[in-house]
Amino acid sequence: MYTHQKKVITQGQPLTETRKALVMVHGRGATAESILSLANNLPVADFTLFAPQATNHSWYPYSFMAPAAHNQPALDSALAVLDEVIKKIQEQGIRSEQIYLLGFSQGACLASEYATRHAQPYGGLLLFTGGLIGQQLDNTNYQGNFNNTPVLITTGDPDPHVPVSRVNETERIMEEMGAAVTKKIYKGRPHTILPQEINLARQIFTKGTIFE
């Protein structure tokens, strides 16, 4: 088991100029650089981008559906990395409404888990093929109120890593905590991000919501 070294790649203009942050969380086996490339397809030229890098290219060793204890201490360390990134952004006077979180696969699971443990009115959550972490979800972990934060959560049906049932559970919990969730389940979709998903994500940046 392992804990994470603190390594974050920043891209774009300084936060003091943009006043808007997009935190991008890569998936298992991937890199901060790879998730940053996704920004080329999003209207975020006026954002400062932050992409933490997981030690060993994995945020936690086992499936996100495994008992949470099996993924420790890596999971708590990964959540602490995200917490440090968010807090450093906020220390520069950036309101939570100007902070967006995006993740793919394992990164989407980590982003959803962090955001729901620290629910507040974010600019948006873009959760491409992910959901809350644990064999059984423990509602006592989740605190705060999303206050109409727009959330996009997706998966394939079936997906080899993220079952539809967990996406549905995640949607329910986030909605109970005040999020405005758009859920998309794509029949037969491979473990990837479709252009349709990118188009929905773009709406969160440009319109603050999703019009289908």
Side-chain angles (χ1 to χ4, degrees):
M1 293 296 189
Y2 52 87
T3 56
H4 294 278
Q5 299 171 340
K6 303 295 194 299
K7 179 184 177 185
V8 181
I9 297 178
T10 306
Q11 189 171 291
Q13 297 300 310
L15 197 55
T16 51
E17 296 180 19
T18 66
R19 313 300 296 172
K20 290 188 287 189
L22 171 59
V23 181
M24 308 182 75
V25 192
H26 70 76
R28 189 187 299 272
T31 63
E33 291 88 352
S34 67
I35 196 72
L36 279 169
S37 69
L38 189 62
N40 296 330
N41 302 298
L42 296 169
V44 293
D46 57 343
F47 280 68
T48 307
L49 310 181
F50 298 84
Q53 175 63 53
T55 299
N56 301 332
H57 302 282
S58 180
W59 292 110
Y60 42 84
Y62 301 111
S63 165
F64 85 117
M65 298 287 288
H70 292 188
N71 279 313
Q72 299 295 9
L75 175 57
D76 279 352
S77 178
L79 290 166
V81 168
L82 272 190
D83 192 50
E84 184 173 314
V85 171
I86 298 294
K87 283 182 175 170
K88 284 188 173 179
I89 291 169
Q90 291 180 312
E91 284 168 5
Q92 296 187 59
I94 307 304
R95 295 179 298 113
S96 64
E97 292 93 337
Q98 299 301 319
I99 300 173
Y100 296 69
L101 277 168
L102 177 154
F104 171 64
S105 192
Q106 192 186 56
C109 297
L110 187 65
S112 64
E113 184 72 18
Y114 175 81
T116 310
R117 290 185 183 212
H118 304 270
Q120 53 193 315
Y122 296 98
L125 304 178
L126 304 114
L127 309 171
F128 297 112
T129 312
L132 292 167
I133 296 172
Q135 185 176 39
Q136 263 89 40
L137 298 183
D138 181 358
N139 283 314
T140 63
N141 286 332
Y142 312 131
Q143 306 291 329
N145 193 296
F146 284 115
N147 196 22
N148 291 319
T149 294
V151 177
L152 172 64
I153 184 167
T154 68
T155 196
D157 183 15
D159 182 88
H161 305 292
V162 180
V164 170
S165 60
R166 180 50 55 89
V167 170
N168 291 339
E169 282 185 281
T170 302
E171 175 193 31
R172 176 182 58 79
I173 288 170
M174 287 186 164
E175 285 185 337
E176 288 173 354
M177 296 176 67
V181 181
T182 298
K183 177 183 68 181
K184 287 295 181 182
I185 310 298
Y186 297 94
K187 289 285 185 184
R189 188 208 67 179
H191 193 70
T192 187
I193 301 175
L194 297 175
Q196 298 97 300
E197 295 171 75
I198 294 294
N199 288 338
L200 291 171
R202 291 174 64 89
Q203 291 189 41
I204 288 179
F205 290 105
T206 58
K207 302 173 182 176
T209 189
I210 293 177
F211 298 98
E212 300 181 62

